[in-house]
Amino acid sequence: MSRFEGISKRPPPQPNIERLSDRIINILGMSPSAYTLNGTNCYLVGTGLRRILIDAGESPAFGGQEQFDAFLCNMEQALSQEGCTGLEMIIVTHLHADHWGAAQALQERWGPAPVAVLPAEPWTYERYTIHEVWQRGLLEVLKQGPIPVTDGKYDHFAKIDES
């Protein structure tokens, strides 16, 4: 299919902070990948001292500390340039980790602010929040990915026993 040709090409450069309109500022999440291109786009919306943030960026647990620190630096710079004192609300558009992963850190620095997300589809129920991942000590397990197991009949992936 010709529409998939050239997908390995790099996207054009994107500013870390970019004003899109009088009320919307794009803040790059600093999480570049084949899926996010330059990184997740987060949007600071509104005109008051406290603003709405659409999408929270990625946690250092998944994206790395350097990328996370760069995102927080971008947030700090954008809020400062706008004369903002904090966040009024965080809206998570969907449950990919690069859209909700930094919500806790953002709350600690610029909250308190409610976090809004539409009800999850049934296929997402098995996803954990980063807080639950840390509480359960599963971070290293997640970083390793699935562990193939062969039992002689077929290959499958080991399940974590939560008991």
Side-chain angles (χ1 to χ4, degrees):
M1 294 174 65
S2 63
R3 68 185 176 111
F4 291 105
E5 290 176 12
I7 60 173
S8 64
K9 294 181 181 177
R10 294 202 177 271
Q14 179 179 348
N16 292 345
I17 301 168
E18 181 179 17
R19 178 173 294 283
L20 302 178
S21 76
D22 291 343
R23 297 172 184 251
I24 303 172
I25 297 167
N26 178 276
I27 302 169
L28 191 58
M30 308 308 288
S31 54
S33 75
Y35 299 106
T36 64
L37 302 177
N38 290 317
T40 302
N41 290 289
C42 305
Y43 300 93
L44 193 61
V45 179
T47 59
L49 290 177
R50 295 175 63 83
R51 307 277 175 98
I52 295 170
L53 182 68
I54 300 176
D55 287 327
E58 195 163 40
S59 159
F62 297 111
Q65 190 66 46
E66 188 176 323
Q67 292 174 340
F68 177 73
D69 291 343
F71 170 61
L72 290 183
C73 183
N74 290 346
M75 279 293 300
E76 181 73 47
Q77 184 179 349
L79 289 168
S80 177
Q81 287 173 354
E82 293 298 306
C84 294
T85 59
L87 297 175
E88 184 70 24
M89 175 182 278
I90 299 170
I91 298 173
V92 176
T93 58
H94 60 284
L95 294 178
H96 287 167
D98 60 313
H99 291 261
W100 62 261
Q104 182 177 347
L106 294 171
Q107 286 278 14
E108 291 168 2
R109 286 182 81 164
W110 296 293
V115 176
V117 64
L118 291 173
E121 295 294 325
W123 61 269
T124 65
Y125 289 167
E126 75 281 358
R127 294 182 185 240
Y128 293 103
T129 65
I130 193 64
H131 181 72
E132 289 172 319
V133 168
W134 283 325
Q135 272 190 326
R136 294 172 183 241
L138 296 176
L139 186 56
E140 291 306 313
V141 174
L142 288 178
K143 284 181 179 178
Q144 292 171 14
I147 303 165
V149 174
T150 303
D151 64 6
K153 278 181 156 178
Y154 55 88
D155 292 341
H156 58 281
F157 293 100
K159 293 184 180 176
I160 299 169
D161 181 10
E162 293 186 10
S163 58

